[in-house]
Amino acid sequence: MAEKTDVWQGTLALMVLRTLESLGPLHGYGLARRIEQTSGDLLQLNYGTLYPALLKLEQEGFIRSRWGVSENNRKAKFYELTKAGQRRLKKAASEWEQTTMILSRFLTPVEEA
Amino acid sequence: MRQLRALALRLRGLFGSRLSGDDFAAELEGHVALDTDDGIRAGLTPQEARRQALIRLGGAEQTRQAWRERRTLPWLESLIQDVRFGLRMLLRNRAFTIVAVLTLAIGIGVSATAFTWINAVLLQPLGGVAGPERLVTLESVTPNDGLVPNSYPDYVDFRDHLKLFDGIAVTKPYAFSIGNQDHAERVWGELVSGNFFAVLGVAPEQGRMFLPAEYGDTPGAFPVAVISDRYWRSHYAANPAVVGHTIRVNQHELTIVGVAPPAFHGSMPVTAFDLWIPYMQQPVLNGVGVWLLRDRHNRNMLGIARLKQSVTADQARQELKALADRMAILNADVSEGMSATLMPLWKSPHGPQGLLIGPLRILMGVCILVLLIVCANVANLQLARATVREKEFGARLALGAGRMRLARQVLTESLLLTLAGAALGIAATPWMSHALRYLMPPGPMQQLVAMDTSPNLTVLAFTVGLCVFAALAAGLAPALQVGRLSLNARMNEGGRSGSAGRRNRLRSVLVISEVALALVAIVGAGLFARSFQTTMRIDPGFDPDHVLLNQFFLNTSGYNLEQRKEFCRRLAERMQTSPGVTNVAYSDGVPLGFEPSWWEELKIEGYAPQPNENMNIFRNVISPGYLPLMHIPLVEGRNFTEQDNEADTSPAVMIVNEAFVRRFFPGRDPIGAKVHGWGSWFRIVGVAKDSKYHYLSEPATPYFYVPFRQIYRTDMSLAFYVRTQGDPDSILSTLRAETRAIDPNVTVFDAAPLKEFIGASLYPQKVAASLMAVLGGIAVLLAAVGLYSMMAYWVAQRTQEIGVRMALGAQPAHVLRMVVGQGLRLTAAGLAAGALMAFALSRAVSAVSFTNSAMGGGARLLGGSAFDPVVYIGAVVFLCVLAALAAYLPARRAASIDPMQALRAE
């Protein structure tokens, strides 16, 4: 159980970092919507699970947060990437690409025996 | 690194939790509002939009929970909850808590105190020396494998010829008189070889230690002294200018050259010396002949050697043995069959630790026993309480608490109890160690013994280890029981505890085990105490009370042999007629003193010694009054008289002891037999009872006495004894006056009660014996408390049942008899189990021998048989009475109340 969550949290963290990199500071709701859209609505994201992941990233120093006002004048907490977060993203992204590449080699049907 | 930072933040999250909790609530509120806004924009009603927003979120409370778990450390948080709840429970059950904490505190405190003592003697043998691990004791070995100190000439040979050592030193403990004749103070010090401090690696605190120029073997050439830090502070107010001062030792002036560092107390554990003087000053200070320093017979120097780096003790021992064996052949006249060996410092048979090792091991055993009882008592209390709390646990299980969580709660509570007990115990340890001082004999011995009673790291580590052990032991049983609780059974019984047969059985088992344990404890303590008695043999075989001892150094007053004998005779005559004096005597050696005993090689008529048999027999040279004064009875023959003198007409005579008779005259009458020594034949005229001569723990040693007037020589010491009716110190002024009346040049400056003089050898055993008595008492007390509370609890739980019986018409006396009878049956079962355990345990322990010392050889941990009927019967009777009482008192209360009340109480 714990392992499964970790994998999920690991990928979720990567999505969060990537989204923050491309869009700049975002509040939690905005992040959730954006991740859903980016996945082409394939990902059924429970918005609530985002917050522990955000807290973990903040505790690890990859993102930081401050209170601000949203586009429609709601009070909201905005998250943005730190320097460490950018480095982390670069590393995690390349690792992830490698993993998927290896996995896809296994999963694509092979002609020659 | 990142993980560490996250951990730190999470730890911080434990505190000030409400603030950031509110912070997150606001963030979540904002999230829902934004989502709802989007929904409204898409055309939903505000209520529907908010509902869908909450669904997408996955529930506000669930999110908060997930967030909280990430923010702090959940296990830590629940631990804090457990601790808070445990503290509340403990505070509510004050009686239980107080009993449990006090029991634990006593157990832990007493064990820590005993361990402080053990630690001081065994684990930290020497303070203030460099590299103590390479220091070893060097001992000479007699032909029959006894260990004895070394002679100075032997030492010089060892020092000059052995290659595997970084140095060899010798030392001899000695009581010095410091100051002027009339107010001389006795100070214990060591006469040491010049290289003593260099070998031990002791650096001076002030001034210098002895210089290589002072290592020499020239008698009387080094009038210098080093004093201890303690003496420096108490007598010179820690004045650095003390270096270069003169100090008057035994009426001779010495120059203080240095002060030893505070941690250094000399070469004997537990013993604090204040003065170090080169051994070569011995002839000057004590007026002994210079030739003594050259005599290989004079074996009285304790050897300490430092092994070279990378040399093992075995290699060094071999080199030493090879040399010693060669020396034994070269000096065959005095050293035939002798050898030498090395051993760890703490194994040295000389000094207090040699006497203490065995008793301390017994003490340790008793400590562990006490601790076991403490744990069992607390576990039983906890288990009993867990039975009472079954309803609470049942309710918590029903509300969804995990079994592990409940077990953890119980463990946390035991840990809390243990920590409280440990804290109290540790707080009490210095006080208890201090109380050790009250067990010590009064007088100068209090200053002689140095013991670091402040609990050090080792002791703390030991105690913490005990705590963990106690927590696990006390918490395990209740925790296991909680884990086994069946939810249905608990709830269905409706809390009618006491009616279920299974739990009645459990309680019976608890009572039985407590009885068994109590029996093991009492039998163990009793057996240990009895073997302690036999091991210690505190009775030295003579009576040192009411005796004043003074050692005269007549050589320094220029006396020849005849003058010395005449001086003794006249002083004895004068003292005998003084008021309050009952006996007067004088001799060469003092029994159980620091001075070594002397032996003579004997030939015994009618006894053919084995080849290589050691015929060197210890002896004393005594005046006719000596045996009566010492209260050593004659079992046969007659005592010496004034007619046994140097005149040609009076034949040489001798008195031997019982051990002498057993060894050399088995089945023969020793009276009238002839024995050869000192170049002439002696006739045995009497047999004296055995007594202790060198160590209290020594086995019966063959020994003989010869008359002062026939054998006394100038090189012998002169000890003068006066037995009084009252306080021996009261006769001191008379002794001074009478001495002065005979010769104004002879002074009495070294007089002390004999009991005090030999106290040095008696004292450690006395402390150990007192500690043993206290520990044994505590073991018995704790076992009794445990048994009483278990039995009383067992009966109290049956109050309802007793009520039912009474309501159905049972007579109180009948009920009482039934309950007490059942209690005694349980006790009998416990006693049977306990007796088996105790017997098996004591047999296993008694197989262990604890001492390597040749002087006190053969002593076993449990002297004699493991089955001592007195101890077993005493313990059984005691426990039966206790159990009957513990069953009777609560049963009477239960039977005396109104049956209806007993039934309604539930």
Side-chain angles (χ1 to χ4, degrees), chain B residues 304-352:
Chain B
I304 295 183
R306 181 177 288 280
L307 300 178
K308 278 207 165 109
Q309 292 287 341
S310 78
V311 169
T312 69
D314 275 335
Q315 294 168 333
R317 193 176 294 122
Q318 269 166 20
E319 191 198 16
L320 172 66
K321 190 176 182 313
L323 177 62
D325 291 348
R326 262 204 324 279
M327 284 159 53
I329 294 165
L330 283 175
N331 313 311
D333 50 332
V334 287
S335 301
E336 193 175 354
M338 296 286 295
S339 184
T341 190
L342 299 175
M343 57 184 63
L345 281 185
W346 61 270
K347 275 195 176 168
S348 161
H350 311 287

Short mmCIF file of all heavy atoms in Angstrom, two decimals, chain B residues 304-352:
data_model
loop_
_atom_site.label_atom_id
_atom_site.label_comp_id
_atom_site.label_asym_id
_atom_site.label_seq_id
_atom_site.Cartn_x
_atom_site.Cartn_y
_atom_site.Cartn_z
N ILE B 304 54.42 -4.37 40.54
CA ILE B 304 53.57 -3.91 39.45
C ILE B 304 54.46 -3.73 38.23
O ILE B 304 55.53 -3.12 38.32
CB ILE B 304 52.90 -2.56 39.78
CG1 ILE B 304 51.95 -2.71 40.95
CG2 ILE B 304 52.15 -2.03 38.56
CD1 ILE B 304 51.23 -1.44 41.27
N ALA B 305 54.08 -4.31 37.10
CA ALA B 305 54.92 -4.23 35.92
C ALA B 305 54.12 -3.66 34.77
O ALA B 305 52.90 -3.81 34.70
CB ALA B 305 55.43 -5.62 35.56
N ARG B 306 54.83 -2.98 33.87
CA ARG B 306 54.18 -2.46 32.67
C ARG B 306 54.70 -3.24 31.47
O ARG B 306 55.92 -3.26 31.21
CB ARG B 306 54.47 -0.97 32.50
CG ARG B 306 53.80 -0.37 31.26
CD ARG B 306 54.05 1.12 31.14
NE ARG B 306 53.30 1.87 32.13
CZ ARG B 306 52.01 2.19 32.00
NH1 ARG B 306 51.34 1.80 30.94
NH2 ARG B 306 51.40 2.87 32.94
N LEU B 307 53.79 -3.89 30.75
CA LEU B 307 54.18 -4.65 29.56
C LEU B 307 54.55 -3.70 28.44
O LEU B 307 53.95 -2.64 28.30
CB LEU B 307 53.02 -5.53 29.10
CG LEU B 307 52.49 -6.57 30.08
CD1 LEU B 307 51.32 -7.31 29.45
CD2 LEU B 307 53.58 -7.53 30.46
N LYS B 308 55.54 -4.11 27.64
CA LYS B 308 55.85 -3.33 26.43
C LYS B 308 54.68 -3.42 25.46
O LYS B 308 53.95 -4.41 25.45
CB LYS B 308 57.10 -3.89 25.76
CG LYS B 308 58.38 -3.40 26.38
CD LYS B 308 59.52 -3.42 25.35
CE LYS B 308 60.69 -2.61 25.82
NZ LYS B 308 61.86 -3.40 26.21
N GLN B 309 54.54 -2.38 24.63
CA GLN B 309 53.53 -2.44 23.57
C GLN B 309 53.80 -3.70 22.74
O GLN B 309 54.94 -4.07 22.56
CB GLN B 309 53.63 -1.21 22.66
CG GLN B 309 53.24 0.10 23.32
CD GLN B 309 51.75 0.21 23.53
OE1 GLN B 309 50.99 -0.50 22.89
NE2 GLN B 309 51.32 1.08 24.43
N SER B 310 52.73 -4.31 22.28
CA SER B 310 52.82 -5.46 21.38
C SER B 310 53.42 -6.71 22.05
O SER B 310 53.71 -7.68 21.38
CB SER B 310 53.61 -5.14 20.10
OG SER B 310 55.00 -5.16 20.36
N VAL B 311 53.61 -6.66 23.36
CA VAL B 311 53.99 -7.88 24.07
C VAL B 311 52.74 -8.40 24.77
O VAL B 311 52.04 -7.65 25.44
CB VAL B 311 55.09 -7.57 25.10
CG1 VAL B 311 55.30 -8.78 26.01
CG2 VAL B 311 56.38 -7.21 24.40
N THR B 312 52.46 -9.68 24.58
CA THR B 312 51.27 -10.22 25.26
C THR B 312 51.65 -10.64 26.68
O THR B 312 52.82 -10.87 26.98
CB THR B 312 50.70 -11.43 24.52
OG1 THR B 312 51.64 -12.51 24.66
CG2 THR B 312 50.46 -11.13 23.06
N ALA B 313 50.62 -10.74 27.51
CA ALA B 313 50.86 -11.13 28.90
C ALA B 313 51.50 -12.51 28.95
O ALA B 313 52.35 -12.78 29.81
CB ALA B 313 49.55 -11.12 29.67
N ASP B 314 51.12 -13.39 28.00
CA ASP B 314 51.68 -14.74 28.01
C ASP B 314 53.18 -14.75 27.73
O ASP B 314 53.95 -15.43 28.41
CB ASP B 314 50.96 -15.61 26.96
CG ASP B 314 49.69 -16.21 27.53
OD1 ASP B 314 49.64 -16.34 28.78
OD2 ASP B 314 48.76 -16.49 26.76
N GLN B 315 53.58 -13.96 26.71
CA GLN B 315 55.01 -13.89 26.41
C GLN B 315 55.78 -13.39 27.61
O GLN B 315 56.82 -13.96 28.01
CB GLN B 315 55.25 -12.94 25.22
CG GLN B 315 54.67 -13.46 23.92
CD GLN B 315 54.64 -12.39 22.84
OE1 GLN B 315 54.58 -11.19 23.12
NE2 GLN B 315 54.67 -12.81 21.59
N ALA B 316 55.27 -12.29 28.22
CA ALA B 316 55.96 -11.70 29.36
C ALA B 316 56.01 -12.68 30.51
O ALA B 316 57.03 -12.80 31.20
CB ALA B 316 55.24 -10.42 29.79
N ARG B 317 54.91 -13.42 30.71
CA ARG B 317 54.88 -14.37 31.81
C ARG B 317 55.93 -15.47 31.62
O ARG B 317 56.60 -15.87 32.56
CB ARG B 317 53.47 -14.98 31.90
CG ARG B 317 53.22 -15.73 33.19
CD ARG B 317 51.79 -16.23 33.29
NE ARG B 317 50.84 -15.15 33.38
CZ ARG B 317 49.84 -14.97 32.52
NH1 ARG B 317 49.68 -15.79 31.52
NH2 ARG B 317 49.00 -13.97 32.67
N GLN B 318 56.08 -15.89 30.34
CA GLN B 318 57.07 -16.93 30.07
C GLN B 318 58.48 -16.44 30.36
O GLN B 318 59.29 -17.13 30.97
CB GLN B 318 56.96 -17.39 28.62
CG GLN B 318 56.01 -18.55 28.47
CD GLN B 318 55.63 -18.81 27.03
OE1 GLN B 318 56.34 -18.37 26.13
NE2 GLN B 318 54.52 -19.49 26.84
N GLU B 319 58.76 -15.20 29.91
CA GLU B 319 60.09 -14.66 30.14
C GLU B 319 60.36 -14.57 31.65
O GLU B 319 61.43 -14.95 32.14
CB GLU B 319 60.22 -13.27 29.50
CG GLU B 319 61.66 -12.78 29.49
CD GLU B 319 61.78 -11.27 29.29
OE1 GLU B 319 60.76 -10.57 29.46
OE2 GLU B 319 62.88 -10.81 28.97
N LEU B 320 59.34 -14.07 32.38
CA LEU B 320 59.48 -13.92 33.83
C LEU B 320 59.72 -15.27 34.49
O LEU B 320 60.60 -15.43 35.34
CB LEU B 320 58.22 -13.26 34.39
CG LEU B 320 58.11 -13.20 35.91
CD1 LEU B 320 59.18 -12.28 36.47
CD2 LEU B 320 56.74 -12.72 36.33
N LYS B 321 58.93 -16.27 34.05
CA LYS B 321 59.02 -17.58 34.68
C LYS B 321 60.40 -18.20 34.44
O LYS B 321 61.00 -18.77 35.35
CB LYS B 321 57.92 -18.49 34.12
CG LYS B 321 57.79 -19.79 34.89
CD LYS B 321 56.64 -20.63 34.37
CE LYS B 321 56.48 -21.92 35.16
NZ LYS B 321 57.73 -22.64 35.39
N ALA B 322 60.90 -18.03 33.21
CA ALA B 322 62.21 -18.59 32.89
C ALA B 322 63.27 -17.99 33.82
O ALA B 322 64.11 -18.71 34.39
CB ALA B 322 62.55 -18.31 31.42
N LEU B 323 63.21 -16.65 34.01
CA LEU B 323 64.19 -15.99 34.86
C LEU B 323 64.02 -16.44 36.31
O LEU B 323 65.00 -16.76 37.00
CB LEU B 323 64.04 -14.47 34.75
CG LEU B 323 64.96 -13.66 35.67
CD1 LEU B 323 66.42 -13.92 35.32
CD2 LEU B 323 64.65 -12.18 35.60
N ALA B 324 62.76 -16.47 36.78
CA ALA B 324 62.50 -16.82 38.18
C ALA B 324 62.96 -18.25 38.46
O ALA B 324 63.52 -18.52 39.52
CB ALA B 324 61.01 -16.66 38.48
N ASP B 325 62.77 -19.15 37.49
CA ASP B 325 63.20 -20.54 37.69
C ASP B 325 64.71 -20.61 37.80
O ASP B 325 65.26 -21.37 38.61
CB ASP B 325 62.69 -21.43 36.56
CG ASP B 325 61.17 -21.59 36.62
OD1 ASP B 325 60.59 -21.20 37.65
OD2 ASP B 325 60.58 -22.08 35.64
N ARG B 326 65.42 -19.80 36.97
CA ARG B 326 66.90 -19.77 37.06
C ARG B 326 67.32 -19.25 38.42
O ARG B 326 68.23 -19.77 39.06
CB ARG B 326 67.46 -18.88 35.95
CG ARG B 326 67.94 -19.65 34.75
CD ARG B 326 68.99 -18.94 33.92
NE ARG B 326 68.89 -17.51 33.77
CZ ARG B 326 68.09 -16.87 32.92
NH1 ARG B 326 67.30 -17.57 32.14
NH2 ARG B 326 68.11 -15.57 32.83
N MET B 327 66.62 -18.16 38.87
CA MET B 327 66.96 -17.57 40.17
C MET B 327 66.74 -18.57 41.30
O MET B 327 67.50 -18.60 42.28
CB MET B 327 66.12 -16.31 40.41
CG MET B 327 66.60 -15.12 39.60
SD MET B 327 65.31 -13.86 39.42
CE MET B 327 64.85 -13.58 41.10
N ALA B 328 65.70 -19.39 41.16
CA ALA B 328 65.39 -20.35 42.22
C ALA B 328 66.52 -21.36 42.36
O ALA B 328 66.81 -21.84 43.45
CB ALA B 328 64.08 -21.06 41.92
N ILE B 329 67.20 -21.64 41.23
CA ILE B 329 68.32 -22.60 41.30
C ILE B 329 69.57 -21.90 41.85
O ILE B 329 70.25 -22.42 42.71
CB ILE B 329 68.58 -23.19 39.90
CG1 ILE B 329 67.36 -24.03 39.49
CG2 ILE B 329 69.85 -24.02 39.89
CD1 ILE B 329 67.32 -24.38 38.03
N LEU B 330 69.80 -20.65 41.37
CA LEU B 330 70.99 -19.92 41.81
C LEU B 330 70.93 -19.62 43.31
O LEU B 330 71.94 -19.64 44.00
CB LEU B 330 71.11 -18.60 41.04
CG LEU B 330 71.64 -18.73 39.61
CD1 LEU B 330 71.58 -17.39 38.90
CD2 LEU B 330 73.04 -19.29 39.62
N ASN B 331 69.72 -19.27 43.80
CA ASN B 331 69.57 -18.93 45.22
C ASN B 331 68.84 -20.06 45.95
O ASN B 331 67.90 -19.83 46.71
CB ASN B 331 68.78 -17.64 45.39
CG ASN B 331 69.28 -16.55 44.46
OD1 ASN B 331 70.47 -16.30 44.40
ND2 ASN B 331 68.37 -15.93 43.74
N ALA B 332 69.30 -21.29 45.72
CA ALA B 332 68.55 -22.44 46.20
C ALA B 332 68.37 -22.43 47.71
O ALA B 332 67.40 -22.97 48.23
CB ALA B 332 69.24 -23.73 45.76
N ASP B 333 69.33 -21.75 48.42
CA ASP B 333 69.22 -21.78 49.88
C ASP B 333 67.94 -21.11 50.37
O ASP B 333 67.36 -21.51 51.37
CB ASP B 333 70.43 -21.09 50.53
CG ASP B 333 70.68 -19.71 49.92
OD1 ASP B 333 70.32 -19.52 48.74
OD2 ASP B 333 71.20 -18.84 50.62
N VAL B 334 67.47 -20.06 49.66
CA VAL B 334 66.27 -19.37 50.13
C VAL B 334 65.08 -19.52 49.18
O VAL B 334 63.94 -19.34 49.58
CB VAL B 334 66.54 -17.85 50.33
CG1 VAL B 334 67.38 -17.64 51.56
CG2 VAL B 334 67.17 -17.25 49.10
N SER B 335 65.36 -19.81 47.91
CA SER B 335 64.28 -19.75 46.93
C SER B 335 64.00 -21.06 46.25
O SER B 335 63.39 -21.09 45.19
CB SER B 335 64.61 -18.70 45.85
OG SER B 335 64.79 -17.46 46.42
N GLU B 336 64.42 -22.18 46.84
CA GLU B 336 64.25 -23.44 46.16
C GLU B 336 62.78 -23.68 45.82
O GLU B 336 61.90 -23.56 46.69
CB GLU B 336 64.76 -24.59 47.02
CG GLU B 336 64.89 -25.87 46.22
CD GLU B 336 65.52 -26.98 47.06
OE1 GLU B 336 65.93 -26.73 48.19
OE2 GLU B 336 65.57 -28.12 46.53
N GLY B 337 62.55 -24.00 44.55
CA GLY B 337 61.19 -24.32 44.12
C GLY B 337 60.30 -23.11 43.88
O GLY B 337 59.14 -23.25 43.50
N MET B 338 60.87 -21.89 44.10
CA MET B 338 60.05 -20.70 43.90
C MET B 338 59.92 -20.39 42.40
O MET B 338 60.76 -20.75 41.60
CB MET B 338 60.68 -19.48 44.60
CG MET B 338 60.74 -19.58 46.10
SD MET B 338 59.14 -19.38 46.90
CE MET B 338 58.76 -17.69 46.51
N SER B 339 58.89 -19.67 42.06
CA SER B 339 58.74 -19.17 40.70
C SER B 339 58.06 -17.80 40.77
O SER B 339 57.93 -17.23 41.87
CB SER B 339 57.93 -20.15 39.86
OG SER B 339 57.89 -19.69 38.52
N ALA B 340 57.62 -17.30 39.62
CA ALA B 340 56.94 -16.00 39.62
C ALA B 340 55.96 -15.97 38.46
O ALA B 340 56.11 -16.70 37.48
CB ALA B 340 57.93 -14.85 39.47
N THR B 341 54.94 -15.15 38.57
CA THR B 341 53.94 -15.08 37.51
C THR B 341 53.32 -13.68 37.44
O THR B 341 53.58 -12.84 38.30
CB THR B 341 52.83 -16.13 37.73
OG1 THR B 341 52.01 -16.19 36.56
CG2 THR B 341 51.96 -15.77 38.92
N LEU B 342 52.56 -13.45 36.35
CA LEU B 342 51.86 -12.17 36.17
C LEU B 342 50.37 -12.42 36.22
O LEU B 342 49.90 -13.47 35.85
CB LEU B 342 52.20 -11.58 34.80
CG LEU B 342 53.65 -11.27 34.51
CD1 LEU B 342 53.78 -10.80 33.06
CD2 LEU B 342 54.18 -10.22 35.44
N MET B 343 49.64 -11.41 36.65
CA MET B 343 48.18 -11.50 36.59
C MET B 343 47.60 -10.10 36.50
O MET B 343 48.28 -9.12 36.80
CB MET B 343 47.64 -12.25 37.80
CG MET B 343 48.02 -11.66 39.12
SD MET B 343 47.44 -12.69 40.45
CE MET B 343 48.38 -14.15 40.13
N PRO B 344 46.34 -10.01 36.02
CA PRO B 344 45.73 -8.69 35.94
C PRO B 344 45.71 -8.03 37.32
O PRO B 344 45.64 -8.72 38.34
CB PRO B 344 44.30 -8.98 35.47
CG PRO B 344 44.33 -10.34 34.90
CD PRO B 344 45.45 -11.07 35.55
N LEU B 345 45.76 -6.69 37.32
CA LEU B 345 45.81 -5.96 38.59
C LEU B 345 44.70 -6.38 39.54
O LEU B 345 44.91 -6.61 40.72
CB LEU B 345 45.68 -4.45 38.33
CG LEU B 345 46.93 -3.73 37.85
CD1 LEU B 345 46.64 -2.25 37.76
CD2 LEU B 345 48.09 -3.99 38.77
N TRP B 346 43.48 -6.48 38.98
CA TRP B 346 42.36 -6.72 39.88
C TRP B 346 42.35 -8.13 40.43
O TRP B 346 41.62 -8.43 41.35
CB TRP B 346 41.03 -6.39 39.21
CG TRP B 346 40.74 -7.21 37.98
CD1 TRP B 346 41.09 -6.90 36.71
CD2 TRP B 346 40.04 -8.44 37.91
NE1 TRP B 346 40.65 -7.87 35.85
CE2 TRP B 346 40.00 -8.83 36.56
CE3 TRP B 346 39.43 -9.26 38.86
CZ2 TRP B 346 39.39 -10.00 36.13
CZ3 TRP B 346 38.82 -10.43 38.43
CH2 TRP B 346 38.82 -10.79 37.08
N LYS B 347 43.21 -9.00 39.88
CA LYS B 347 43.24 -10.36 40.40
C LYS B 347 44.25 -10.52 41.52
O LYS B 347 44.36 -11.59 42.10
CB LYS B 347 43.58 -11.33 39.27
CG LYS B 347 42.37 -11.76 38.47
CD LYS B 347 42.71 -12.97 37.64
CE LYS B 347 41.52 -13.49 36.89
NZ LYS B 347 41.90 -14.47 35.89
N SER B 348 45.00 -9.46 41.79
CA SER B 348 46.00 -9.57 42.84
C SER B 348 45.35 -10.00 44.15
O SER B 348 44.35 -9.44 44.57
CB SER B 348 46.68 -8.22 43.04
OG SER B 348 47.31 -8.20 44.29
N PRO B 349 45.93 -11.03 44.79
CA PRO B 349 45.29 -11.50 46.03
C PRO B 349 45.55 -10.56 47.20
O PRO B 349 45.00 -10.77 48.27
CB PRO B 349 45.93 -12.86 46.25
CG PRO B 349 47.23 -12.79 45.53
CD PRO B 349 47.07 -11.84 44.39
N HIS B 350 46.42 -9.56 47.01
CA HIS B 350 46.74 -8.68 48.13
C HIS B 350 45.90 -7.41 48.04
O HIS B 350 45.54 -6.99 46.96
CB HIS B 350 48.22 -8.33 48.12
CG HIS B 350 49.08 -9.54 47.98
ND1 HIS B 350 49.25 -10.43 48.99
CD2 HIS B 350 49.76 -10.04 46.92
CE1 HIS B 350 50.03 -11.42 48.58
NE2 HIS B 350 50.35 -11.21 47.31
N GLY B 351 45.63 -6.84 49.17
CA GLY B 351 44.84 -5.62 49.18
C GLY B 351 43.37 -5.93 49.17
O GLY B 351 42.96 -7.08 49.04
N PRO B 352 42.55 -4.89 49.32
CA PRO B 352 41.11 -5.10 49.51
C PRO B 352 40.44 -5.83 48.36
O PRO B 352 39.56 -6.65 48.57
CB PRO B 352 40.55 -3.69 49.63
CG PRO B 352 41.70 -2.78 49.71
CD PRO B 352 42.93 -3.50 49.31
#
